[in-house]
Amino acid sequence: MAGNTFGTIFRVTTFGESHGAAIGVVVDGCPAGIPLGSEDFTAAFNTVRPSGSFETARREANIPEILSGVFEGKTLGTPIAVLLRNADARPHDYEALKNIYRPGHADFAYEAKYRRRDWRGGGRASGREAAARIAAGVIAKKVLAYCQTSYHAQYTASASLPLTIETSAIEIAGIPCEPISAADELPLEISSKLAAIKQAGDSAGAIVQCTVRNVPAGLGEPVFDKLEAELAKAVLSIGSVKGIAFGAGFQLARMAGSEANAVDKNYHGGIAGGISDGKDIVFQAVIKPVPSIAQEQIMETASGERIAYAITGRHDVCLYRRVMPVIDAMVAIVLADMMLRQGAAQILKV
């Protein structure tokens, strides 16, 4: 099965299935000498942990087991393997779906490609795989912190400000809103609508905005490996993301060149010619409604029959909050890779 590895120098490979024994990640290309321990993963996993009445009841501890690549609290420069055991898996919940293709899921597509599939919650196509990406993002941010300091010393005369990645929902269930972070309470209008959607056995989508601040100019590769192309591939590889737009996005099609080129604006999202220009990188990601809903739907079976069926189990109403740390991680992975490709690793002092 191809397509499990992302990156050029900082390379991330995830493995495992939703209701199998474990989910995990192997990160190769991390420089040696960077402090890394199990406690570094705690905050990231706490952010993505389900909470509230609009999120799945599945509770995974996500206790990281660092199997390789770290010795005496520092990276070795060798592949780092992190294992996250599935402690709250319930494969039996999906036995009734063994021969049914759920609409909006990868069930049929996987079987069409491989002539077999893991029907236990979607296998590799499950959102559970995101935990491995978040673990890789923790390592990527460690790399960024070290690389950015060296990059500024080598390429700029300015002091290095910490690079930060900020994600927030700007629309939930069709309601535009002021930016809502993963830690924020929902406005009453939105929480009421989500409650009604949940009561109806349905789900909702969202739009999440990501802003990366203090990005050094010069990151990205011209032509095929443009920075926005790599970011788009990374973010679109998240199962629930169905669209991405940088800066002013589709509004650029409605602007005159004189407006789009305004120097006091950031309509191009901090990227010009596929390379960071020193402004904030800004993009919006479209999050689709959760396809597993409690309403009865028309589905197809492996024999080609159409049946009415309602999906049971533990599912989110809207993924706006739990997808933010995954976008955060994928952006960190891209930027760490681009920073290493720029040559900052050659001047690292660790």
Side-chain angles (χ1 to χ4, degrees), residues 53 124 148 153 179 227-228 235 268 293 298 320:
S53 59
R124 288 286 287 156
Q148 191 188 17
L227 182 54
E228 67 259 64
V235 174
H268 298 276
I293 61 174
I298 300 299
Y320 80 94

Side-chain angles (χ1 to χ4, degrees), residues 78-127:
T78 56
I80 302 168
V82 181
L83 189 71
L84 303 164
R85 297 189 186 275
N86 292 328
D88 194 20
R90 296 183 188 174
H92 55 275
D93 285 353
Y94 296 89
E95 287 186 19
L97 293 165
K98 191 180 300 187
N99 296 306
I100 298 175
Y101 303 132
R102 298 167 297 172
H105 291 76
D107 297 346
F108 174 78
Y110 263 60
E111 196 153 313
K113 182 174 180 64
Y114 299 106
R115 298 292 182 256
R116 62 186 298 116
R117 66 185 171 93
D118 183 348
W119 44 262
R120 303 167 301 171
R124 288 286 287 156
S126 168

Side-chain angles (χ1 to χ4, degrees), residues 219-260:
L219 295 184
E221 304 293 337
V223 193
F224 294 116
D225 289 355
K226 289 181 169 67
L227 182 54
E228 67 259 64
E230 294 297 295
L231 286 168
K233 180 178 180 180
V235 174
L236 286 169
S237 74
I238 301 168
S240 60
V241 177
K242 295 300 289 184
I244 188 169
F246 289 85
F250 286 89
Q251 289 299 323
L252 282 166
R254 304 178 182 97
M255 293 181 185
S258 55
E259 181 184 5

Side-chain angles (χ1 to χ4, degrees), residues 311-334:
I311 298 173
T312 59
R314 303 169 293 174
H315 306 290
D316 299 86
V317 177
C318 182
L319 289 167
Y320 80 94
R321 193 183 77 86
R322 295 214 297 137
V323 80
M324 286 191 234
V326 192
I327 292 174
D328 182 287
M330 293 309 298
V331 170
I333 288 166
V334 171

